[in-house]
Amino acid sequence: MNTELLGIITTYLLTLAIGIPLGIHLSRVFAGEKVWTDFLNPLEKGIYKLSGINPEQSMNWKQHMKAMLTINMLWLVYAFFALIFQDKLPLNPDGNPAQTPDLAFNTAISFVVNCNLQHYSGESGLTYFTQHFVIMFLQFVSAATGIAAAVVLFKAFRDKTATNLGNFWFFFVRSITRLLLPLSVIIAIILAFNGTPTSYEGKDQYISLQGDSVQVARGPAAAMIAIKHLGTNGGGWFGANSAHPLENPNYFTAMVELIAQVIIPVAMIFAFGYFIRKKKLSWVIFSVMTLGMLMLLIPALISETGGSPAIEKMEISQAKGAMEGKEVRFGATASTYWSTVTTIISTGSVNAMHDSTMPLTGMYQLIAMMVNCFYGGCGVGILNYFIFLIIAVFISGLMVGRTPEFLGHKVEAREMKIASIIALLHPFIILVGAAISAYTHTNYADADWAVKPGNWLNNPGFHGFSEMLYEFTSAAANNGSGFEGLGDNNIFWNVTTGLVLILGRFLPIIGPVAIAGILAQKKYIPESTGTLRTDTATFGIMTFAVIVIIAALAFFPALALGPIAEYFNQ
């Protein structure tokens, strides 16, 4: 057990050793300063010229959001039609069929919004063409979209008063050329040399020890698995995701994939502080997020390494912890660390089946996505945190009798209204979705649909409710993982989660950027002895309290009906 703990501690320390310097470097990259990656300038200029983009053209926050929404709509249409006609496109050696319109609708939205919720099995639901030119393409550009949006917010607070917030395309292109693409190449090479396939051949066949003839899917998976983690995407090349031995062959590749999915969220925290010249603020934000992560990880480790009470009653030894749904090559400790990391960050990849974890561990996974701002996804993590930061500034200012200010700009009613709407939107779409699905399952179980609602759940009772709650939580948090006892590839789930995916992605981006743009236009107020400092431990604790009260407690009744009730009835 000590060895397993040492493994996850080492993994986390290596993540920080890479993520913090990377964040400092990114602050210089997005500020347009001279850096060693400037040798990529000719490539970027070629992209701008080919696309007809003027990277020097200044944009306000509205123009940034218009550019973001326009290009994302274009990608959505492209992905939808590619998926419904994939059987007619090249690079399909296994003869996989086209996706149905409702499944293509869900899949296209899911990857456009960086969620990667998969209502299909990767090796049989997609072709090599769509894996490359739809899925991998969207994994790059969706991650870059979140990073570019975050840099718009950074830009709003770099100068005292500003309406020029840089150029969206400049931030977007640099996110790919200077960050995502080079690191993905390195990670892909590591995976390929450790056994992850890179072949364009179709399924292979071998004879098992029992003498059975078994077909094994393969394909050029290493490149996709690299960007799926680096871009906090999470969609698996194979249906079993990173629990599959070809997608994640050994403990070393597990460490690489864990590090890959955390380094950019951590880097963006420090990029923010160094970009706006408030280094101490980045450490405060990092401390709050890390505290939140540990408060979810530590009890989850206790829950999983303690074993299953049901198996304990049978007097069966559980020296390795609760191993149902887990890979022996990783063990309970590394699997629990992965489940925490993948849910606090909007990655959603899995190296073990979340549906098989202990009830309280399932609750911690749900809370991680419900809070959705402890590290978070590429760029969007800091945007989600910013909403709670603004609310904390406003409440703190009122409590001490001072005008609420953030970085020299007054926080007034307009900004608070936007922040409050965005903060309440997340629980609203999750709880409404879960309520509709529970009502439909209960009252229309025998409805004459292609898949009857009564057949949605493999697990009845409390855990069945948790499966439906998890699905909407994962969609709203742009996570993509799931309690896979749920039968979700049908019109109801494809359409409802598709709508939640759109709302859960774009409004939480538009809201923070709008607040930052509005604040940036206001007159700068120099700091004085009466200024409420936001880079102190006291304010960090206040922000953490706001996150707990607004984001976590709003879901307590739903958690009580699901994982908590299951825990007390096991």
Side-chain angles (χ1 to χ4, degrees):
M1 187 60 68
N2 291 335
T3 302
E4 293 183 11
L5 284 174
L6 181 62
I8 65 172
I9 292 171
T10 302
T11 302
Y12 183 70
L13 292 178
L14 287 172
T15 303
L16 298 186
I18 298 171
I20 294 173
L22 178 62
I24 297 171
H25 173 71
L26 289 178
S27 70
R28 300 183 62 201
V29 168
F30 292 120
E33 299 176 11
K34 288 186 176 181
V35 290
W36 65 271
T37 52
D38 282 345
F39 72 89
L40 292 166
N41 276 332
L43 171 64
E44 293 163 353
K45 289 179 180 178
I47 294 172
Y48 297 141
K49 187 174 182 180
L50 182 65
S51 306
I53 293 171
N54 178 10
E56 304 297 327
Q57 181 181 357
S58 64
M59 295 180 175
N60 58 33
W61 73 267
K62 293 180 181 179
Q63 291 170 319
H64 275 281
M65 293 301 95
K66 180 181 178 181
M68 180 197 74
L69 293 173
T70 301
I71 193 63
N72 275 266
M73 180 59 70
L74 179 63
W75 294 331
L76 176 60
V77 173
Y78 156 72
F80 175 79
F81 283 103
L83 291 168
I84 63 175
F85 292 115
Q86 69 174 359
D87 59 327
K88 298 176 176 60
L89 297 173
L91 294 177
N92 186 14
D94 296 328
N96 290 343
Q99 291 194 351
T100 61
D102 60 294
L103 178 58
F105 169 79
N106 184 276
T107 304
I109 293 174
S110 181
F111 283 85
V112 165
V113 304
N114 194 240
C115 181
N116 292 23
L117 187 73
Q118 292 176 283
H119 287 178
Y120 62 90
S121 184
E123 61 265 59
S124 60
L126 294 175
T127 67
Y128 293 174
F129 181 91
T130 48
Q131 288 273 32
H132 270 337
F133 296 101
V134 175
I135 303 305
M136 277 183 61
F137 167 74
L138 292 177
Q139 287 176 332
F140 274 100
V141 297
S142 64
T145 296
I147 295 170
V151 179
V152 178
L153 183 143
F154 296 0
K155 184 72 174 174
F157 296 108
R158 183 178 174 90
D159 302 318
K160 294 181 179 179
T161 301
T163 54
N164 173 16
L165 302 181
N167 184 278
F168 177 83
W169 305 114
F170 176 82
F171 302 146
F172 174 80
V173 170
R174 284 204 163 191
S175 296
I176 296 175
T177 58
R178 306 290 183 98
L179 177 63
L180 297 173
L181 190 57
L183 290 181
S184 292
V185 170
I186 295 171
I187 296 166
I189 291 172
I190 293 173
L191 293 175
F193 275 92
N194 278 273
T196 301
T198 57
S199 169
Y200 279 89
E201 298 293 329
K203 293 178 181 178
D204 199 0
Q205 183 173 304
Y206 74 97
I207 306 300
S208 71
L209 293 175
Q210 290 83 2
D212 299 324
S213 179
V214 181
Q215 285 193 324
V216 179
R218 50 184 175 175
M224 187 264 214
I225 296 163
I227 185 56
K228 97 169 190 182
H229 284 111
L230 187 66
T232 64
N233 296 283
W237 182 279
F238 302 99
N241 209 283
S242 286
H244 196 288
L246 296 182
E247 194 153 324
N248 191 4
N250 52 52
Y251 198 94
F252 175 68
T253 59
M255 290 181 67
V256 171
E257 292 179 22
L258 277 166
I259 293 168
Q261 63 188 292
V262 186
I263 53 174
I264 293 180
V266 168
M268 291 301 290
I269 300 169
F270 292 93
F272 177 50
Y274 279 78
F275 190 94
I276 66 172
R277 307 179 186 94
K278 296 283 184 180
K279 301 176 184 178
K280 191 176 178 182
L281 177 61
S282 62
W283 282 103
V284 171
I285 295 173
F286 171 75
S287 299
V288 172
M289 291 184 175
T290 303
L291 175 63
M293 185 266 287
L294 292 175
M295 289 183 68
L296 295 170
L297 173 61
I298 293 172
L301 285 170
I302 295 171
S303 176
E304 292 301 309
T305 56
S308 167
I311 296 178
E312 185 179 354
K313 291 176 184 177
M314 300 167 65
E315 298 183 356
I316 297 175
S317 174
Q318 300 182 78
K320 296 295 184 180
M323 286 299 294
E324 180 190 343
K326 298 181 178 65
E327 295 295 304
V328 176
R329 67 188 187 276
F330 304 134
T333 303
S335 297
T336 304
Y337 177 61
W338 188 303
S339 75
T340 301
V341 164
T342 200
T343 48
I344 63 170
I345 296 169
S346 62
T347 307
S349 68
V350 297
N351 76 335
M353 297 300 105
H354 290 190
D355 201 34
S356 297
T357 54
M358 295 295 98
L360 290 185
T361 305
M363 181 182 71
Y364 303 136
Q365 294 163 0
L366 281 163
I367 292 173
M369 294 183 291
M370 290 166 173
V371 171
N372 202 28
C373 66
F374 295 147
Y375 297 163
C378 284
V380 296
I382 198 75
L383 292 175
N384 290 335
Y385 185 90
F386 179 72
I387 289 295
F388 295 108
L389 193 152
I390 290 297
I391 295 173
V393 165
F394 192 81
I395 295 174
S396 301
L398 295 180
M399 288 175 65
V400 298
R402 297 174 182 169
T403 301
E405 296 175 8
F406 180 67
L407 300 180
H409 303 278
K410 286 186 179 180
V411 177
E412 297 175 302
R414 186 180 180 186
E415 296 83 68
M416 267 303 296
K417 289 176 182 177
I418 298 173
S420 299
I421 290 171
I422 299 303
L424 296 176
L425 171 74
H426 190 60
F428 177 78
I429 59 178
I430 291 172
L431 297 177
V432 168
I436 292 173
S437 61
Y439 179 83
T440 305
H441 172 74
T442 303
N443 293 278
Y444 298 96
D446 295 321
D448 189 20
W449 296 357
V451 179
K452 292 183 179 181
N455 296 331
W456 287 347
L457 305 177
N458 288 335
N459 299 284
F462 305 120
H463 192 77
F465 176 76
S466 295
E467 289 175 348
M468 294 188 289
L469 177 64
Y470 195 110
E471 189 74 3
F472 282 108
T473 304
S474 179
N478 293 137
N479 189 268
S481 61
F483 275 2
E484 295 305 337
L486 177 69
D488 48 25
N489 185 13
N490 54 71
I491 291 178
F492 178 90
W493 289 101
N494 285 334
V495 173
T496 55
T497 54
L499 297 175
V500 169
L501 285 164
I502 294 174
L503 294 174
R505 169 67 166 182
F506 293 113
L507 292 181
I509 290 179
I510 295 170
V513 172
I515 293 172
I518 293 168
L519 291 177
Q521 296 173 13
K522 294 184 179 182
K523 182 180 178 181
Y524 178 79
I525 304 170
E527 286 188 1
S528 65
T529 54
T531 300
L532 177 67
R533 295 184 62 88
T534 56
D535 57 357
T536 63
T538 302
F539 184 77
I541 294 170
M542 180 64 184
T543 306
F544 185 81
V546 168
I547 293 170
V548 171
I549 292 169
I550 295 178
L553 294 183
F555 294 100
F556 181 77
L559 294 171
L561 293 173
I564 296 176
E566 183 184 358
Y567 170 75
F568 284 109
N569 283 272
Q570 64 182 343

